Amino acid sequence: MAARDASRAGGGRVRAALRDGAKRALDVTGATLVLVVTAPLLAASAAAVAVDLGRPVVFRQRRAGLHGSPFTLAKLRTMREVDPSRGHETDAERLTRLGALLRSTSIDELPGLVAVLRGDMSLVGPRPLPVRYLDRYSPEQARRHDVRPGVTGLAQVGGRNALDWPERLALDVAYVDGRSTRLDLLVLARTVGVVLGRRGTAQHGQATSAEFLPPKPPADAHQEPA
């Protein structure tokens, strides 16, 4: 019995290693291909951002990666700097027309493919979120960090920012539990349609997406029972 269990465990590790190797090969091949094909578009978009917003052209932010380890994610800049004197405070006030176009077409995400080549991200996985969110997740939601974050994922093809946070995070965990090469290919195929359709780029009532905040405890959560 012990020998059989050990054999099964060994077979599981081999299958996981093969799956991870296939995923990494897909990541490197796919990211390289997309960057090469879209290089003229990316260069033209960067030039347009420089004219529209000035420098820096690239927005960089620390995001939580595998096991919550921080890394730097780069995107094309789409917003003006915060400037209360000019009325540039909220996302809606800071987002330019060009920025809205870049976001709706996901062109602003193209620089993020460099993080895939570095190994900080995968093509498919939970979207990397700001490191300041790390202590806001429930233990179940935090399992989204058991895999590398992705450029696209189940939440992105399931509604993107149109979904509320609990729905998005639940889909992230569902990906962790059901990940496979077949699922990755399915998500990538569905991503093409989502991007072309420009669906779900903003949360309802928001210019982009509301900040993720943990649910508030009930008002009587800390009261002594009667």
Side-chain angles (χ1 to χ4, degrees), residues 33-157:
L33 180 61
V34 173
L35 283 172
V36 170
V37 171
T38 63
L41 174 62
L42 181 55
S45 299
V49 171
V51 172
D52 187 46
L53 290 170
R55 296 185 182 277
V57 169
V58 175
F59 168 77
R60 292 180 173 85
Q61 187 179 55
R62 298 292 277 172
R63 299 288 179 100
L66 180 65
H67 305 313
S69 297
F71 73 99
T72 300
L73 177 67
K75 301 172 65 174
L76 287 180
R77 190 171 155 218
T78 59
M79 292 187 176
R80 305 178 182 92
E81 298 289 348
V82 175
D83 187 348
S85 67
R86 296 186 178 185
H88 299 162
E89 295 187 80
T90 67
D91 286 355
E93 294 164 343
R94 297 169 57 210
L95 185 65
T96 67
R97 292 179 64 181
L98 173 64
L101 175 63
L102 294 177
R103 281 176 174 266
S104 68
T105 56
S106 297
I107 293 173
D108 66 316
E109 301 282 357
L110 290 175
L113 292 171
V114 174
V116 176
L117 296 179
R118 287 199 311 257
D120 292 326
M121 291 180 63
S122 179
L123 288 178
V124 181
R127 281 290 296 170
L129 298 175
V131 293
R132 68 177 183 275
Y133 290 0
L134 280 173
D135 62 353
R136 303 179 187 181
Y137 302 115
S138 69
E140 175 71 5
Q141 292 169 341
R143 292 202 300 116
R144 70 191 305 279
H145 298 116
D146 288 350
V147 299
R148 284 186 178 84
V151 176
T152 185
L154 279 180
Q156 282 60 56
V157 300

Side-chain angles (χ1 to χ4, degrees), residues 193-226:
V194 171
V195 170
L196 292 178
R198 302 187 187 183
R199 299 191 296 270
T201 56
Q203 202 166 4
H204 180 68
Q206 302 284 332
T208 54
S209 177
E211 182 172 358
F212 169 62
L213 297 172
K216 294 181 179 179
D220 60 348
H222 302 294
Q223 294 181 2
E224 294 292 330

